[in-house]
Amino acid sequence: MKILITGGAGYIGSHTALELLASGFEPMLLDNFCNSTPDTLPVLAELAGQALPFIEGDIRDRDRLDALFDRHDIGGVIHLAGLKSVGESVTAPLCYYANNFGGTIQLLAAMARHEVRNVVFSSTAAVYAPSEGRVCEDAPIAPASPYARTKLAAEEMMRDVHACDPRWNVSILRYFNAGGAHPSSLIGERSVDDPHNLLPRITEVAVGQRERLEIFGGAHPTPDGTCVRDYVHVVDIARAHILAVERMLVEPGLSIRNLGSGRGHSVLDVVNAFERVSGVTIPRRIVQERPGELATVQCDPSRAREELGWSAEHDLNRICADLWRWCQSDGAAQCTA
Ligand code: NAD
């Protein structure tokens, strides 16, 4: 079955393409390169042992989508295309709504016109209301940023589309903090200017782009006083998409599942793990904690385990080791050059 991956040249999309191919599907990639580069395509071909069909285009381009669905017998869509910077979404909300929500409207409309009704959607744990501890799918919803609200709006639209026409199969995956890179170190995360996430910040310090890591608060009610979060390897996330596609083909309907490791790691755990696997010292300084910052947020991944047979196989050391190898590679050097 041919599966269209929107955002296929991106971080999660490129890993998902390889996993799809390895599982016997035919991935077809669509991307406008707004946060990725064409250089990824030959690398993917090298890793896959064959060129992967690719179309350059924007999910908001109705004609492009119609031509794509007309020409190719697409069985389902893994929809990853979107903008993902929380900070940028605050300063450019219209851009985020236009791309993430408007783009999803165009995509679903094109799918409906061509009677393709299987979609796996990349959402985020940021749709949940801020609360301490483990988060399951039934937790209260209250996204705190425009970015997360665009994801929730897309989720809700998909629910409505499914409610109106139950032939639609919708699998919503809410990721926690993705990290790591492909074990080949040939693909990894290329984007992010001024990242807000811990792992890219640590790598900036490791490669000398940032003098030291600022750790927000050292007196949280956690074992070492720093915030605890859930990190999940990008290859594990990619694998979950294939399981989600396979599941929806045998068990149609609408589902929502968290993707996280279920393990919590403090900021210091992550810094220490990174130092251990890289051999690089990360200068750090504890600074004032951010207002409203939660001490512990951890994924409850039971539903994905029970329904998909999925669990995160890569641990924190592996996330840090693969990330560090990627950071030292030519591919990563090109995107920081
Ligand atoms: P990414 O930026 O690396 O990949 C997204 C890709 O989509 C990029 O290649 C970009 O060029 C493309 N794109 C964006 N808008 C497009 C458009 N209008 N038309 C065509 N292509 C477009 O990001 P990622 O980390 O791979 O994330 C993939 C998806 O998962 C995103 O939607 C993101 O919001 C979501 N997500 C990511 C994380 C994470 O930790 N990385 C966590 C939660 C959710």
Side-chain angles (χ1 to χ4, degrees), residues 262-320:
R263 294 179 288 271
H265 294 290
S266 73
V267 176
L268 289 178
D269 287 339
V270 179
V271 174
N272 293 337
F274 189 90
E275 286 189 335
R276 223 174 19 249
V277 300
S278 66
V280 176
T281 301
I282 304 295
R284 82 287 302 258
R285 181 175 61 187
I286 307 265
V287 298
Q288 181 75 34
E289 68 182 59
R290 292 183 285 207
E293 183 100 274
L294 298 169
T296 301
V297 182
Q298 225 172 300
C299 174
D300 178 346
S302 330
R303 192 182 283 179
R305 190 175 55 237
E306 284 154 20
E307 295 180 354
L308 300 181
W310 176 88
S311 56
E313 289 173 358
H314 299 74
D315 65 10
L316 180 63
N317 285 334
R318 183 64 193 275
I319 291 174
C320 291

Side-chain angles (χ1 to χ4, degrees), residues 117-121 155 158-159 161-162 168-172 248 253-256:
R117 299 190 193 88
N118 297 318
V119 61
V120 175
F121 175 55
E155 280 195 15
M158 288 183 190
R159 272 180 200 271
V161 167
H162 168 76
W168 276 84
N169 298 315
V170 176
S171 172
I172 293 168
M248 77 164 43
L254 180 138
S255 60
I256 300 180

Side-chain angles (χ1 to χ4, degrees), residues 5-15 30-37 55-61 79-85 96 98-100 103-104 121-126 147 150-151 173-179 188-192 197 232 234 237 241:
I5 309 179
T6 71
Y11 176 45
I12 295 172
S14 53
H15 290 80
L30 171 73
D31 206 299
N32 66 358
F33 297 128
C34 71
N35 199 35
S36 53
T37 135
I55 291 166
E56 182 169 354
D58 194 297
I59 53 168
R60 290 163 292 178
D61 183 340
H79 176 33
L80 306 174
L83 303 175
K84 64 171 181 179
S85 162
Y96 272 66
N99 199 16
N100 294 4
T104 304
F121 175 55
S122 64
S123 189
T124 167
Y147 161 70
T150 65
K151 289 290 183 178
L173 301 175
R174 292 179 179 154
Y175 318 154
F176 283 65
N177 302 290
E189 187 164 27
R190 278 177 162 270
S191 52
V192 256
N197 296 340
V232 55
V234 62
I237 290 193
H241 289 75

Side-chain angles (χ1 to χ4, degrees), residues 12-28:
I12 295 172
S14 53
H15 290 80
T16 302
L18 293 175
E19 293 293 323
L20 264 183
L21 190 70
S23 304
F25 290 94
E26 284 180 59
M28 161 155 286

Side-chain angles (χ1 to χ4, degrees), residues 33-157:
F33 297 128
C34 71
N35 199 35
S36 53
T37 135
D39 301 347
T40 303
L41 302 176
V43 177
L44 275 178
E46 184 187 333
L47 288 169
Q50 63 182 83
L52 298 182
F54 176 82
I55 291 166
E56 182 169 354
D58 194 297
I59 53 168
R60 290 163 292 178
D61 183 340
R62 178 189 168 121
D63 293 343
R64 194 65 151 180
L65 291 181
D66 278 339
L68 190 161
F69 283 109
D70 276 340
R71 245 175 252 145
H72 303 277
D73 184 19
I74 304 286
V77 177
I78 297 181
H79 176 33
L80 306 174
L83 303 175
K84 64 171 181 179
S85 162
V86 170
E88 192 182 51
S89 77
V90 174
T91 55
L94 287 176
C95 189
Y96 272 66
Y97 275 94
N99 199 16
N100 294 4
F101 185 55
T104 304
I105 296 177
Q106 288 300 336
L107 176 69
L108 294 190
M111 290 174 67
R113 284 194 296 279
H114 295 84
E115 302 196 352
V116 178
R117 299 190 193 88
N118 297 318
V119 61
V120 175
F121 175 55
S122 64
S123 189
T124 167
V127 298
Y128 293 115
S131 81
E132 291 284 346
R134 284 170 84 80
V135 184
C136 72
E137 292 82 354
D138 299 326
I141 297 292
S145 67
Y147 161 70
R149 282 189 281 275
T150 65
K151 289 290 183 178
L152 181 61
E155 280 195 15
E156 288 182 339
M157 177 170 60

